[in-house]
Amino acid sequence: MPTHVHYGHIFHLAGSPRITEAVDALVSIPDGALVVGEDGTILFVGERSQLPDLYASARAHDHTGGYLLPGFVDTHIHFPQTYAGASYGGGQLLEWLTQCIFPSEAEFADPEFAADAALEFTRRRIAAGTTAAMVFGSAFPHAQDALFRTTLKAGLRIVSGRGIQTRGPDSAQPLITSEGDAIRLTRAEIEQWHAADTGDVSTALLHVAIVPRFSLAVTPETLRNLGELYDEFRDRGVYVHSHLNENDRPATGEVDTTKQDFHVNTYLDTYDGKFLPGSAVGGKSLLGRRTILAHCVHCQDVELARMAETGTSISHCPVSQLFLGSGTMPWKRTVASGVNISAGTDFGGGDEWLIPRVVGDAFKQHISEAGDDGVSIHPAEMLFLATLGGARALDMEDRFGNFDLGKEADFVVVQPAGALKGLLRNALRSQEAELAREQTLFALLMGIRESSVAEVYVQGNRVGI
Ligand code: GUN
Ligand code: ZN
């Protein structure tokens, strides 16, 4: 690939800020240039007028009127729910799973159906500018094969693993395996797909995760066996993904049912090797810097502290939490705990594919928290959730997530279409430069729809299928 230079209005968060430092890390370059080298890494980011002569002959892409943002990172999305978004089930999480989701996911038993879904899923990701994702996988290995193959063909990044279930209601039966098969199939997926594209986790686009659906879908035996399996593969960059503290309906919701079922002090204990009654240790922990837990709406302080201590990240999914009536993750308390927070669509619990729609709903949800808990999230923090926080959650911040020199060039070209055009070209802006740029970034993140996502790049290559 020759050297390329992309011109447009650049926004990114430079360096390695925590979410609380995102405001100071915000970079806005209205007449910017991004140079991508032959190896797909970033050679220059800055003012177009400052472009070194060295790059004068680079292949130019003029996105004038457009914006260059780091690729969006979706840290929680369900592949086998590709067609299950906006499912009406007349209830919250556990009823919705039983009535709508388990039967929908069972359709992936048909290899042709699953292959079509892999194509649709990948197209929706590209349309949404999601360059990297933690994908909650199908129970069926052929469906996972189709997903990895299609993702690679498109040139996108993925971390995924088959959803593991060893118990559940009747409607989940097609998704449930024996204890032995749960481990055997997960091991086989790791061996087949983890870093399968390059043979090296530090350069791969494909990665595998160990994915127990949630504690109510697995037994203590499964959790013990998965702890052993993870211990074996931890050093090879394998991930862990699941749900935590999503629905807190008293007595019959997910959180209370889990605590009663395992007789544990906290839900997190079940993923931390302490899944025996009284939170006694029964196996190895699944927590760590390559573990992402979705939702975390109803965490106790000790759970947040333990996640922060172990480097475990949260995937915040407010679109889904609204859809399923799961409540509101307490923003200030969660941020104050120091845990890394990223953004997830949770499609089909969520009904949007676009990560900017997720951070837009995060803004609306947290400004609506009661009393002093209400907060107006800064647009730089929204950008953090959508990009750098996700790269950190995937433990690949050294590779992508912003436009620091030497990183792999994952980016989205936004060409404002429809209503976004007016929001960016004609809206009133402050006379004060700093506020004006924040207003522009806010309008951009709130107003992006798929129609404005013009081009998507991973490692400097345009993705498509
Ligand atoms: N908890 C266990 N499975 C699921 C799922 O498919 N979606 C959501 N939102 N929560 C879950
Ligand atoms: Zn989910």
Side-chain angles (χ1 to χ4, degrees), residues 72-90:
F72 302 130
V73 183
D74 187 342
T75 57
H76 183 61
I77 180 166
H78 291 261
F79 163 49
Q81 295 173 24
T82 297
Y83 301 121
S87 288
Y88 179 69

Side-chain angles (χ1 to χ4, degrees), residues 97-171:
L97 285 173
T98 302
Q99 291 167 29
C100 306
I101 295 306
F102 296 150
S104 294
E105 294 194 3
E107 292 194 288
F108 282 55
D110 174 355
E112 219 171 292
F113 187 89
D116 284 351
L119 195 57
E120 169 71 3
F121 181 86
T122 305
R123 287 193 172 132
R124 296 268 70 82
R125 273 191 62 187
I126 297 169
T130 300
T131 50
M134 172 64 90
V135 181
F136 200 107
S138 166
F140 302 105
H142 59 252
Q144 288 299 99
D145 291 347
L147 178 67
F148 280 115
R149 256 189 231 112
T150 311
T151 305
L152 185 60
K153 200 163 156 203
L156 291 164
R157 296 181 196 272
I158 192 168
V159 182
S160 185
R162 66 175 295 276
I164 299 165
Q165 292 181 246
T166 49
R167 62 172 170 147
D170 283 349
S171 67

